[in-house]
């Protein structure tokens, strides 16, 4: 496969950055992962806005534009001869002296990775969830960035070593529902859609925001808050969201509770609405 590195498309095995990159040394970097459907970068504008906000928070002097990313993605699709893909747009702080750096980073490394995906399906998928013992860590700043700091997620993944196809669910240290390893979580009770508040310290996922907008357009009441796991266990439907897997129904929280899974009425309605627009929207504001 070919990737984009600082203005050039190169083979993956030929991509090189400095070992003094503070993205490598200190985890200073941010990224966005989004899906390309038949050449269309779904919700690209929202991903770019969140990335630019993270770069500003880290004092990385770089700003990504819509046209720039679209041009890079189209070049990678052409070079790799694919039309459906997973894209990771990554900006790390770049080279700087050893030690903690209190000044702005002015020479970041910009990398765009691409992986082929099969054509998006029309059927709602289903998996089970497992409640993790590993608690969700708190954000390093006032809100959680989609940054290189992923040890907490990896610790949760290691806890699930015998469950490779399930999704782990984090609680906060205070015992409130937080999010999945790579997803946000929703549940439905009495036709009301519930999801943890961003003030629990979760990532405000782009697909999370999109699902809430779809729900409101369908006149479904959406409630964000601080919820104990027992409130999730009492739900009729549960599902996860992320930019690559879209909406995934949850059949059960292992050894604790069962739900409607892929038969969930509201989950299916939201998935059907998702399918209608995934090859044309660039921003949540367009619906």
């Amino acid at each position: 496969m070919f990737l984009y590195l600082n203005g050039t498309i190169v083979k993956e095995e030929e991509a090189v950055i400095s070992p003094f990159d503070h993205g490598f040394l200190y985890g200073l970097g941010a990224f966005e992962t989004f899906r390309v459907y038949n050449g269309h970068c779904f919700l690209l504008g929202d991903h770019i806005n969140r990335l630019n906000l993270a770069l500003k928070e880290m004092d990385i002097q770089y700003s990504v534009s819509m046209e720039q990313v679209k041009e890079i993605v189209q070049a990678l699709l052409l070079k790799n001869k694919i039309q459906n893909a997973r894209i990771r747009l990554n900006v790390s702080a770049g080279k700087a002296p050893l030690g903690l750096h209190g000044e702005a980073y002015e020479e970041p490394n910009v990398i765009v990775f691409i992986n082929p995906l099969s054509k998006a399906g029309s059927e709602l998928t289903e998996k089970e969830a497992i409640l993790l013992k590993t608690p969700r860590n708190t954000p390093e700043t006032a809100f959680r960035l989609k940054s290189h700091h992923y040890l907490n997620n990896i610790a949760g993944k290691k806890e699930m070593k015998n469950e490779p196809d399930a999704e782990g669910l984090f609680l906060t240290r205070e015992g409130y529902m937080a999010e999945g390893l790579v997803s946000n979580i929703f549940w439905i009770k009495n036709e009301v859609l519930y999801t943890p508040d961003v003030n629990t310290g979760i990532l405000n996922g782009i697909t999370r925001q999109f699902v809430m907008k779809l729900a409101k357009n369908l006149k479904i009441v959406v409630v964000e808050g601080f919820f104990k796991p027992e409130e999730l266990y009492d739900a009729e439907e549960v599902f996860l969201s992320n930019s690559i897997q879209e909406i995934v129904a949850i059949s059960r929280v292992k050894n604790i509770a069962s739900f409607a899974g892929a038969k969930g009425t509201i989950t299916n309605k939201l998935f059907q609405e998702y399918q209608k627009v995934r090859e044309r929207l660039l921003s949540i504001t367009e619906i």
Side-chain angles (χ1 to χ4, degrees):
M1 298 296 292
F2 291 85
L3 58 74
Y4 171 94
L5 172 62
N6 296 332
T8 305
I9 293 178
V10 299
K11 292 181 179 179
E12 289 180 344
E13 60 270 23
E14 296 174 358
V16 177
I17 62 172
S18 168
F20 291 94
D21 186 330
H22 277 208
F24 166 66
L25 292 175
Y26 302 109
L28 276 167
F31 71 97
E32 289 292 326
T33 302
F34 57 89
R35 190 159 175 166
V36 176
Y37 297 91
N38 292 324
H40 174 73
C41 302
F42 185 54
L43 300 183
L44 177 59
D46 302 287
H47 286 284
I48 286 175
N49 289 341
R50 188 172 63 177
L51 177 61
N52 285 336
L53 184 63
L55 296 178
K56 183 177 181 181
E57 187 78 7
M58 294 181 182
D59 208 6
I60 297 174
Q61 301 296 295
Y62 190 80
S63 181
V64 182
S65 74
M66 175 90 74
E67 290 308 312
Q68 173 196 14
V69 177
K70 287 169 70 175
E71 184 177 323
I72 292 169
V73 169
Q74 292 305 315
L76 287 174
L77 291 172
L78 182 63
K79 188 71 173 178
N80 289 292
K81 300 178 181 179
I82 55 178
Q83 279 294 296
N84 295 280
R86 167 184 172 171
I87 302 291
R88 173 168 165 148
L89 169 57
N90 198 98
V91 183
S92 61
K95 186 171 68 173
L98 287 174
L100 299 183
H101 193 63
E103 301 176 7
Y105 291 93
E106 298 180 347
E107 298 181 54
N109 283 308
V110 182
I111 308 176
V112 182
F113 302 88
I114 186 169
N115 299 103
L117 292 178
S118 55
K119 189 175 176 65
S122 59
E123 298 294 326
L124 183 65
T125 59
E126 180 182 282
K127 63 171 59 172
E128 70 174 26
I130 297 172
L131 197 67
L132 297 170
K133 296 177 182 178
T134 305
R136 191 63 169 119
N137 64 349
T138 54
E140 290 83 5
T141 55
F143 56 95
R144 189 174 298 279
L145 307 177
K146 197 169 179 67
S147 73
H148 289 186
H149 294 263
Y150 254 62
L151 181 56
N152 188 221
N153 302 65
I154 293 169
K157 185 67 174 177
K158 287 181 179 293
E159 184 182 328
M160 296 178 59
K161 57 187 176 182
N162 296 321
E163 304 285 350
D165 297 323
E167 173 73 330
L169 301 180
F170 284 115
L171 300 180
T172 67
R173 290 192 180 277
E174 296 77 22
Y176 295 108
M177 293 302 308
E179 58 190 337
L181 284 172
V182 292
S183 64
N184 290 115
I185 186 165
F186 294 85
W187 61 94
I188 297 150
K189 177 71 175 179
N190 296 328
E191 299 186 346
V192 176
L193 183 64
Y194 296 90
T195 193
D197 194 285
V198 292
N199 289 314
T200 58
I202 63 173
L203 180 72
N204 190 9
I206 300 301
T207 309
R208 173 185 183 272
Q209 298 172 51
F210 182 59
V211 165
M212 289 194 291
K213 185 66 163 62
L214 288 178
K216 289 173 183 177
N217 286 354
L218 291 171
K219 308 301 181 186
I220 298 169
V221 176
V222 179
V223 177
E224 301 174 77
F226 286 71
F227 304 107
K228 291 291 186 176
E230 289 75 19
E231 295 177 77
L232 169 70
Y233 304 155
D234 195 40
E236 297 149 2
E237 302 177 41
V238 179
F239 66 88
L240 307 172
S241 68
N242 80 14
S243 295
I244 305 304
Q245 298 179 55
E246 306 176 329
I247 292 173
V248 178
I250 293 298
S251 59
R252 64 173 181 156
V253 176
K254 190 175 182 181
N255 299 327
I256 300 176
S258 298
F259 315 104
K263 297 179 180 178
T265 303
I266 293 178
T267 306
N268 271 284
K269 283 182 181 179
L270 291 167
F271 179 63
Q272 288 163 14
E273 292 301 309
Y274 197 111
Q275 289 183 80
K276 292 177 184 178
V277 296
R278 60 191 177 191
E279 292 190 21
R280 63 179 179 85
L281 291 189
L282 285 171
S283 171
I284 295 170
T285 60
E286 295 174 5
I287 60 169

